[in-house]
Amino acid sequence: QVQLVESGGGLVQAGGSLRLSCAASGRTFSSYAMGWFRQAPGKEREFVAVISWSGGSTVYADSVKGRFTISRDNAKNTVYLQMNSLKPEDTAVYYCAASTIIAVAVYDYDYWGQGTQVTVSS
């Protein structure tokens, strides 16, 4: 079992930045690939980024490539999502999740956090 708790969401103006954190507890954090997803009102949950267990491999959604950076600190059992040049369309609840594989599909993730709200004003 892995417990995930996100933090760092908030309200920011377009063009601004936020850094999300996801703290993990339970089973060995470094055994899991960690992903970030987001869900806007009335829309399906969508993939944002994923990082391998070692941090050596990352994958990003085209919509965030070049603006968002995923990273992890296995010593602190934490994964981060640095979000720069934010746009109103980035507004959503952001979730972190753990998977045994590097994946982009929601159904490939075994554990989920409760989410943190990010709102970008125009």
Side-chain angles (χ1 to χ4, degrees):
Q1 192 79 5
V2 176
Q3 292 81 40
L4 303 172
V5 179
E6 302 95 336
S7 61
L11 174 63
V12 63
Q13 288 189 333
S17 299
L18 281 175
R19 188 195 196 202
L20 304 183
S21 299
C22 173
S25 61
R27 286 195 170 183
T28 307
F29 172 74
S30 60
S31 298
Y32 290 89
M34 297 298 298
W36 284 97
F37 289 76
R38 65 187 183 186
Q39 188 166 19
K43 294 188 176 182
E44 293 188 352
R45 193 168 298 189
E46 65 173 5
F47 168 77
V48 175
V50 60
I51 188 167
S52 63
W53 66 271
S54 68
S57 297
T58 56
V59 179
Y60 294 93
D62 287 344
S63 59
V64 306
K65 203 171 293 183
R67 299 188 298 122
F68 291 10
T69 302
I70 189 171
S71 61
R72 68 189 295 162
D73 185 339
N74 287 343
K76 295 183 178 180
N77 282 6
T78 302
V79 62
Y80 305 98
L81 186 68
Q82 178 66 45
M83 305 186 294
N84 299 329
S85 302
L86 283 161
K87 305 174 181 179
E89 51 263 44
D90 293 318
T91 295
V93 177
Y94 283 70
Y95 299 88
C96 69
S99 173
T100 57
I101 60 174
I102 300 174
V104 303
V106 170
Y107 56 76
D108 281 323
Y109 285 77
D110 303 306
Y111 303 102
W112 293 83
Q114 83 291 347
T116 185
Q117 176 70 46
V118 171
T119 303
V120 184
S121 62
S122 57

